[in-house]
Amino acid sequence: MNAPDGHDRTRTVRLSFAHRVHFTRGAFDRANDALPAALADDAAVASRRAVVLIDEGVRSAQPDIEDRIRACFASHPARLPRIVAVETVAGGERAKEDMRLVDRVIELVEKHAIDRKSFVFAIGGGAMLDAVGFGAATAHRGVRLVRLPTTTLAQDDAAMGVKNGVNRFGKKNFVGAFAVPYAVVCDESLLSTLPPAVFRAGFSEAVKIALLKDPAFFAGIERVASAIAACDLDASSPVIRRSAELHLAHIVDGGDPFEANEARPLDFGHWAAHRLESMSAHAVSHGDAVALGLLLDCRYSNLKGWLSDAEHARIRACVAALGLPMRHALFADTKRLLAGLEEFREHLGGQLTVTMLRAIGHGFEVHELDADLVRRAAAEMA
Ligand SMILES: NC(=O)c1ccc[n+]([C@@H]2O[C@H](COP(=O)([O-])OP(=O)(O)OC[C@H]3O[C@@H](n4cnc5c(N)ncnc54)[C@H](O)[C@@H]3O)[C@@H](O)[C@H]2O)c1
Ligand SMILES: [Zn+2]
């Protein structure tokens, strides 16, 4: 149907997706119902096929994991798909450094006849989930992805999202796709083998979202920060779940899941974080980089007079109690650091939009940064 002037009319394409998220412990135990429950919407699930991919870090820390997964699927033959392949794949940022893992997922989808109703299960950290998710989003233009995040960061943030991708040209997440996972099952018992630094690093994302949206949650993190630093899972669990809930709510109810707008409100502290990761050739993990990036932007907010000295001191004390890094030598290289701002703007398009802090629980957007003040804040953290 054409408008009178001959141009096609603009229509709106509306899409809706189920976003199924379950938290549990012991997901592969015979008596645990989380995995079958997560797939229960598909009445024909037993006739589907599944490729299971395991992060190499998880595989080496939990050598019996494949046996446990196979036993779990075998004990629910009517409620879970049939496993056609289990493979160990790269974990950590290495998984995202090139297209190899993405290509491998696409090959496996072809080799094992995974159709668009069949499944790729990805069991691993945020980096591996990002790369596998990109492969799963592009093979057949999207097969079903079930994420089982195995790090604190992946459970409290990354696995909730609809973003998949890998790094190119030394730039984080340069290539990727938005795709909603079929299901996310967070098994907290999988976190038990995390190295302490990886365990702690995930809580920078919880601090970030508490600072942006929820002062009571921030106070809750303060109360258990030293237990988190000691990797106490029972103390950490409510923080992981609340952070996941807030990240999920932002995606589901925030009105911009595929980031059409210029603002990316959840990326508080991330312009510098992504830059530090690239500048350090990923020696600084994402979680640690976020802790450093948010401290930088908190200090900037404080120097601008937006954030009070008292609240600024509280934030620094909380990050310290969590055992997260507070300074890094790369902050001395302010020229390269500031180039990250342009990279951040270019990734989103339009004008620069960075989130800053007015108070704990209250983020707001700015469209320019005072380079001298950024340099001053960075110099203090070098
Ligand atoms: N898609 C998103 O919305 C989103 C959001 C936040 C972060 N991310 C991305 O997530 C990545 C960081 O993920 P991460 O913090 O989970 O770290 P990671 O995936 O890099 O994993 C860290 C290390 O822990 C190992 N590991 C994972 N689980 C383990 C376990 N249970 N026991 C022992 N070792 C284990 C891994 O093999 C790896 O060596 C970054 O690339 C970041 O950009 C994505
Ligand atoms: Zn992040």
Side-chain angles (χ1 to χ4, degrees), residues 55-62 65 89-96 123-130 147-165 167 172-173 187 189-195 198-199 201-202 205 208 247 251 259 267 270 274 277 282 285-288 290:
D55 181 313
E56 63 190 353
V58 181
R59 179 62 162 244
S60 65
Q62 303 183 25
I65 190 160
V89 299
E93 205 63 28
R94 205 166 66 80
K96 285 177 70 170
I123 304 171
M128 175 270 195
L129 295 180
D130 274 1
R147 295 183 183 140
L148 281 98
T150 61
T151 63
T152 50
L153 187 138
Q155 291 194 3
D156 78 5
D157 176 356
M160 302 300 128
V162 295
K163 294 192 271 186
N164 306 277
N167 312 329
K172 284 282 291 186
N173 308 321
D187 177 353
S189 49
L190 292 172
L191 304 175
S192 63
T193 53
L194 280 177
V198 181
F199 186 94
E205 301 281 14
K208 170 204 77 182
H247 279 94
I251 285 155
E259 296 176 352
D267 272 2
H270 276 58
H274 284 165
E277 289 180 73
H282 302 289
S285 71
H286 182 72
D288 283 354
V290 170

Side-chain angles (χ1 to χ4, degrees), residues 44-80:
V45 68
S47 68
R48 317 288 189 209
R49 301 156 73 83
V51 165
V52 178
L53 301 177
I54 306 171
D55 181 313
E56 63 190 353
V58 181
R59 179 62 162 244
S60 65
Q62 303 183 25
D64 64 341
I65 190 160
E66 179 174 345
D67 295 344
R68 289 194 285 132
I69 293 166
R70 287 190 182 278
C72 167
F73 277 66
S75 62
H76 298 285
R79 300 176 66 208
L80 287 176

